[in-house]
C-alpha cells in the first residue's frame, strides 16, 4: 500500500476537531504548527485582524486519502469557522518495514530479522 503526505490548513480553534477527524482515517502521527495566510500584510494595513491558522501534516495510506479528502471538503463547506484547504503529496520512499508499518497503521508488519 502506498503512502501519501496529507496537508491541511485550518483555523486554530478547529485544530482539535480536524485532528480527531484525520486520526479516524488511520493516521498514527500528526505534525502541527501555527501559520499565517498570505493576506496577513494586507489585512494589517486595513486594520483587520487575521484569524490564526494551523498547518496539519500527517502520513495516510493511499486508500484512505480519497475518503479523507471527501470528508474534509464536506466539513470545509459547513461554514466560515470550518474553512480550510487540504491536499496530498505522494510519499516517494520509505526505508524499513517497521517505520512503514507505523505510518500506515499496518499491524501485520513484523520486525525484520
Amino acid at each position: 500500500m502506498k503512502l501519501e503526505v496529507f496537508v491541511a490548513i485550518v483555523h486554530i480553534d478547529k485544530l482539535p476537531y480536524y485532528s480527531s477527524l484525520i486520526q479516524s482515517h488511520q493516521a498514527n502521527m500528526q505534525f502541527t504548527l501555527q501559520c499565517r495566510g498570505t493576506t496577513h500584510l494586507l489585512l494589517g494595513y486595513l486594520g483587520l485582524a487575521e484569524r490564526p491558522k494551523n498547518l496539519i501534516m500527517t502520513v495516510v495510506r493511499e486508500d484512505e486519502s480519497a475518503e479523507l479528502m471527501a470528508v474534509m471538503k464536506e466539513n470545509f463547506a459547513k461554514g466560515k469557522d470550518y474553512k480550510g484547504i487540504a491536499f496530498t503529496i505522494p510519499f516517494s520512499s520509505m526505508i524499513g518495514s517497521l517505520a512503514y508499518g507505523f505510518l500506515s497503521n499496518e499491524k501485520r508488519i513484523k520486525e525484520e530479522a
Side-chain angles (χ1 to χ4, degrees):
M1 183 64 57
K2 292 184 179 180
L3 298 175
E4 294 182 342
V5 176
F6 180 84
V7 179
I9 300 173
V10 298
H11 292 295
I12 198 166
D13 56 340
K14 294 297 178 191
L15 177 64
Y17 174 79
Y18 281 113
S19 182
S20 176
L21 183 71
I22 292 167
Q23 188 175 5
S24 71
H25 287 272
Q26 305 297 321
N28 278 341
M29 177 186 73
Q30 294 181 20
F31 175 74
T32 64
L33 58 103
Q34 289 186 354
C35 59
R36 291 193 292 198
T38 57
T39 61
H40 71 279
L41 290 175
L42 181 60
L43 290 174
Y45 292 141
L46 297 173
L48 302 172
E50 183 190 34
R51 293 183 63 191
K53 295 175 181 51
N54 260 51
L55 177 115
I56 305 170
M57 289 181 62
T58 187
V59 177
V60 294
R61 293 191 329 228
E62 187 179 46
D63 64 332
E64 290 284 337
S65 68
E67 184 182 340
L68 179 56
M69 288 294 288
V71 169
M72 294 294 281
K73 184 177 180 179
E74 182 181 305
N75 279 283
F76 290 159
K78 282 184 176 181
K80 182 172 93 170
D81 290 339
Y82 290 87
K83 294 267 186 233
I85 62 169
F87 56 93
T88 60
I89 304 166
F91 200 97
S92 60
S93 65
M94 171 59 62
I95 297 173
S97 61
L98 286 178
Y100 172 83
F102 173 74
L103 292 174
S104 66
N105 200 28
E106 181 65 50
K107 296 177 179 39
R108 295 178 295 190
I109 302 281
K110 295 201 176 171
E111 193 169 334
E112 296 175 17

